[in-house]
Amino acid sequence: AELIYTRDATSPWKDRLWESAPANLSEDGRSAEVALPDEARFWYLHVTDHRGLAVSTEYAEQAVTD
């Protein structure tokens, strides 16, 4: 499992630099935990199972505070 995220909030979606961070799956595989990197603006969780099948969450975003 991995967290896919970007710090870029201004470029077109397809042009943003996306990074990843490993996520820890629970022993039963029903939940994942990962620390959200500083300045991450948009992110989603991506999980691949033992068969190579993948699923991702909808993206989430961090509200900007001035």
Side-chain angles (χ1 to χ4, degrees), residues 41 62-66:
R41 290 296 309 276
Q62 177 68 34
V64 177
T65 57
D66 294 326

Side-chain angles (χ1 to χ4, degrees), residues 1 3-4 7 9 21 30-32 34 59-60 65-66:
L3 179 75
I4 309 297
R7 293 177 168 94
R30 292 178 169 254
S31 63
V34 62
Y59 78 88
T65 57
D66 294 326

